Amino acid sequence: MPARDTPAEPAGSVSESPESTPTAAPKGKLRLPLLLTIAGVLLALDLLTKVLAVANIDPQKPVRIIGDVVTLTLVRNPGAAFSMATAWTWVLTLVAVAVVIGVVRIGRKMRSLWWAIGLGMVLGGALGNLIDRFFRSPGPLRGHVVDFVSVGWWPVFNVADSAIVCGAILLVGLTLFGFEPDGTRATSNARNEDS
């Protein structure tokens, strides 16, 4: 008995319905090692610069780098950025611990290079200031953070602060443009579902 001919599908047609097409799995390798490397480098840089600042800068005699615009000024900050919440040092310490735990949890499944860079910066900065909170005077959970870079009207900051701010800006940008930590892009997925 002759085999039945099946009608040929027209060129460009799709044999599966959109509902049966599986969602693309995240591509790329896990980025936790990169995240931890960035965090480790920034942490080491932060600790080194703080040790050098404490050893070489007299709090009463700022070191001028570019006139009065950029100076090295040693300050011990009990509060958050801009010296806010100075009476809540222990709360800031607990928030920093929560940030570190959250970043590591997200990082275990991360496949995005840019998310790894941003979170690595936030993690390195959070750890740098957290070490000050635990090990500097007046005591554990209440330690004052060493700040030493002064630029114009901006409050005095350190390497950890810079890393946190730059990492946070990068993460906000990635979120706004739809880049997910798993390496996918939310806007392109939404367009695929709409079509």
Side-chain angles (χ1 to χ4, degrees):
M1 191 170 181
R4 288 173 104 183
D5 290 333
T6 55
E9 293 184 9
S13 68
V14 178
S15 59
E16 296 180 356
S17 66
E19 292 78 24
S20 65
T21 305
T23 305
K27 295 179 181 176
K29 61 183 177 179
L30 292 174
R31 301 291 185 170
L32 183 60
L34 174 64
L35 185 157
L36 296 177
T37 300
I38 291 170
V41 168
L42 288 170
L43 174 60
L45 184 60
D46 181 63
L47 294 177
L48 176 63
T49 55
K50 286 175 179 174
V51 167
L52 292 173
V54 169
N56 297 301
I57 300 173
D58 182 342
Q60 306 304 320
K61 297 178 182 176
V63 178
R64 288 185 171 85
I65 304 298
I66 303 175
D68 289 335
V69 178
V70 179
T71 62
L72 299 180
T73 305
L74 186 62
V75 175
R76 309 260 182 172
N77 182 3
F82 311 110
S83 295
M84 294 186 300
T86 55
W88 295 89
T89 305
W90 64 274
V91 174
L92 299 173
T93 304
L94 296 178
V95 168
V97 169
V99 167
V100 168
I101 292 170
V103 168
V104 172
R105 289 189 69 186
I106 292 170
R108 290 184 304 169
K109 297 180 182 178
M110 188 179 337
R111 295 178 184 276
S112 167
L113 172 67
W114 290 107
W115 270 87
I117 292 170
L119 285 176
M121 294 171 78
V122 170
L123 179 61
L127 287 172
N129 285 339
L130 193 57
I131 287 173
D132 283 2
R133 299 284 183 208
F134 275 107
F135 297 108
R136 293 197 184 271
S137 63
L141 298 180
R142 297 176 296 119
H144 295 181
V145 173
V146 173
D147 292 331
F148 59 92
V149 181
S150 176
V151 179
W153 54 269
W154 198 257
V156 183
F157 60 95
N158 58 36
V159 172
D161 297 334
S162 301
I164 291 169
V165 169
C166 293
I169 290 170
L170 176 58
L171 296 177
V172 168
L174 291 170
T175 302
L176 289 176
F177 287 102
F179 293 98
E180 302 289 338
D182 65 0
T184 61
R185 189 163 181 194
T187 53
S188 62
N189 289 344
R191 283 183 196 140
N192 289 342
E193 288 172 9
D194 292 341
S195 59

